[in-house]
Amino acid sequence: MRIVLGVGGGIAAYKVASLLRLFTEAGHDVTVIPTEAATRFVGVATWEALSGHPVSNSVFDEVHTVNHVRLGHEAELIVVAPATADLLARAATGQANDLLSNTLLMAGGCPVLMAPAMHTEMWQHPATQANVETLRSRGITVLEPASGRLTGSDSGPGRLPEPEAIFEAALALAGAPSVPATPPLSASDALLASPRGPLAGLTVTISAGGTREPLDPVRFLGNRSSGKQGVALAAAARDAGAKVRLLAAHMDVPPPAGVNVVKVETALELRKAALHAAADSDVIIMAAAVADFRPADVSGTKIKKRDDVADPVISLVRNPDILRELVETRDAASRRQLIVGFAAETGDADGDVLDYAAAKLRRKACDLLVVNHVGQDKVFGEDTNSVVILSRTGSEPQEASGSKSDVAAAVIDRISAELSRVVPPA
Ligand SMILES: Cc1cc2nc3c(=O)[nH]c(=O)nc-3n(C[C@H](O)[C@H](O)[C@H](O)COP(=O)(O)O)c2cc1C
């Protein structure tokens, strides 16, 4: 694929050398267009050597090839990293004062991904947020910056996402159009999210409710999940300052205000939405009750009751393990992301609930596992819950009980505590 890699004049420009390597090693043909400011951070020689192409930032170089027109037309994907506040503003207002901004205007229908990086104040400034909103409304994918240590001693949202995360998001954008859209969080959602709080500036994706696996056009295999716990988690994460994306399977309750809702029906739809959303999520909480199995065959017409044929037998096939896939994808990309699973367990003669839960945590390798004990009429649909939070680090299991909002607050507190322990170095 022909990729244009625009580099803005931010301190994180050095990290983009790794992103360039990821693209070229995956066999892509990359032309780098640094801004003039970017060349003060990383020299043209580095980009030329790593890309194998000449590098320029002026429309007046190689005029006979009309570089800005050619690059814009030929690009199959444009990635801008770091996207400075200045570049976002120039792109949003359609300026064309260097080779990169000209190329962005010439891009036509090719997918464009911008990965911002700047100080938190610059990122949260209404001017920058309005520019981001404008770009997103035009179909440009603007990633949320990661949170953590910034250039100086300060920390907060504004870090460039890791090169692997940008790489994956960019390729998904260019090559996986079948993935259900997980719309970017809108400015109004951001306004509803508290600007303060332990999760301020973080993007949290939460799945909730129960999946439904179709048998025929009118029947499905479902489960008793009401979605109440997932909805309470979404509200608690929002109140803690996060931007929240709720992957909503079937729920008996409405989603809370101020969160972005992506509706899904089946486990396979949830899988696609979750993997897609993972690209810009700092925290993923998988609280949905996902069917382990789905019918092997889905009838296109209603299955009829007939006296002349035997009653149908439903064969099932296994659904993918979404939680495990999320963990594997994160680890493969060395991405900083906290992943939380939920487990509804019952004890039996071979072990109690916590034995089974601990084994599940080892299998899934997520960071936290929130375990609730299900039995007859326990938990599903009720307004109260009682859970134990297990951590992969092996720290003491933590109990939480009360209303589902109380339990959600305890889970969000625990997540905040885990995150504050893993703030990355600069
Ligand atoms: C040391 C240093 C670090 C900077 N880091 C950033 C940054 O991370 N993000 C940003 O938006 N601007 C940053 N700037 C400011 C930009 O370099 C400046 O706005 C420049 O005009 C951007 O030009 P460009 O958008 O054409 O690349 C930094 C400036 C300096 C001197």
Side-chain angles (χ1 to χ4, degrees):
M1 180 164 47
R2 284 204 193 108
I3 300 176
V4 166
L5 179 57
V7 185
I11 198 86
Y14 76 95
K15 288 190 181 173
V16 177
S18 311
L19 176 62
L20 171 56
R21 284 300 281 267
L22 289 171
F23 283 133
T24 54
E25 281 171 12
H28 300 292
D29 180 30
V30 187
T31 299
V32 182
I33 311 181
T35 62
E36 197 188 339
T39 61
R40 293 186 169 225
F41 293 91
V42 179
V44 166
T46 301
W47 304 122
E48 291 192 336
L50 292 178
S51 69
H53 287 296
V55 166
S56 157
N57 54 42
S58 165
V59 283
F60 297 107
D61 289 339
E62 296 183 69
V63 175
H64 64 286
T65 66
V66 204
N67 237 346
H68 64 290
V69 174
R70 184 179 57 80
L71 289 167
H73 278 169
E74 288 180 359
E76 293 165 275
L77 169 68
I78 300 181
V79 177
V80 181
T84 54
D86 177 63
L87 258 175
L88 292 169
R90 287 196 281 133
T93 50
Q95 293 182 45
N97 43 15
D98 64 3
L99 185 57
L100 179 55
S101 49
N102 273 273
T103 305
L104 283 167
L105 281 181
M106 290 299 304
C110 120
V112 178
L113 178 141
M114 302 183 86
M118 64 200 72
H119 276 279
T120 306
E121 292 82 351
M122 290 173 90
W123 170 248
Q124 289 178 342
H125 193 284
T128 305
Q129 289 299 310
N131 290 330
V132 168
E133 187 66 12
T134 300
L135 292 166
R136 284 175 174 166
S137 71
R138 293 191 194 131
I140 290 179
T141 298
V142 183
L143 297 183
E144 288 293 318
S147 217
R149 181 91 184 266
L150 301 171
T151 313
S153 55
D154 51 343
S155 62
R159 275 171 70 95
L160 185 73
E162 291 305 310
E164 291 80 2
I166 303 173
F167 173 74
E168 276 182 28
L171 291 193
L173 180 68
S178 64
V179 172
T182 47
L185 295 152
S186 68
S188 56
D189 296 332
L191 286 173
L192 279 161
S194 157
R196 289 165 198 274
L199 300 185
L202 299 187
T203 297
V204 177
T205 294
I206 300 171
S207 72
T211 63
R212 289 179 161 185
E213 310 297 322
L215 267 168
D216 69 15
V218 292
R219 303 183 182 96
F220 57 83
L221 296 182
N223 59 60
R224 292 172 187 269
S225 174
S226 64
K228 286 180 182 172
Q229 186 62 75
V231 163
L233 283 161
R238 177 204 61 198
D239 294 344
K243 294 181 182 179
V244 180
R245 182 185 287 123
L246 183 68
L247 308 181
H250 174 76
M251 307 196 306
D252 295 337
V253 288
V259 309
N260 203 298
V261 180
V262 178
K263 289 205 164 149
V264 296
E265 181 86 5
T266 65
L268 292 181
E269 283 176 19
L270 177 57
R271 171 182 175 271
K272 275 188 176 177
L275 290 173
H276 192 53
D280 71 351
S281 298
D282 301 291
V283 177
I284 303 177
I285 307 174
M286 292 299 286
V290 186
D292 288 332
F293 301 98
R294 66 182 184 278
D297 299 302
V298 181
S299 169
T301 53
K302 187 180 170 202
I303 301 167
K304 306 266 186 323
K305 199 166 48 176
R306 285 171 51 174
D307 291 335
D308 53 338
V309 288
D311 289 343
V313 174
I314 300 168
S315 326
L316 300 175
V317 289
R318 213 177 257 225
N319 275 325
D321 185 336
I322 305 172
L323 185 57
R324 184 131 157 224
E325 250 183 284
L326 286 167
V327 171
E328 284 170 0
T329 308
R330 175 198 65 185
D331 292 349
S334 312
R335 189 183 295 152
R336 283 192 193 88
Q337 187 175 67
L338 192 94
I339 302 183
V340 182
F342 265 68
E345 286 291 346
T346 53
D348 63 18
D350 295 326
D352 70 12
V353 174
L354 280 186
D355 295 333
Y356 284 111
K360 189 164 197 168
L361 179 61
R362 280 194 296 278
R363 262 196 330 273
K364 308 268 185 180
C366 53
D367 302 292
L368 296 174
L369 189 69
V370 182
V371 186
N372 47 36
H373 184 186
V374 289
Q376 274 191 332
D377 295 333
K378 253 181 164 174
V379 179
F380 284 121
E382 288 185 10
D383 292 325
T384 56
N385 201 357
S386 172
V387 303
V388 180
I389 306 171
L390 301 183
S391 160
R392 193 152 66 108
T393 57
S395 50
E396 273 297 293
Q398 179 191 339
E399 292 187 16
S401 59
S403 68
K404 286 190 172 170
S405 299
D406 294 336
V407 169
V411 172
I412 295 298
D413 279 353
R414 180 60 187 265
I415 288 171
S416 308
E418 294 283 324
L419 286 172
S420 64
R421 250 189 279 162
V422 294
V423 169

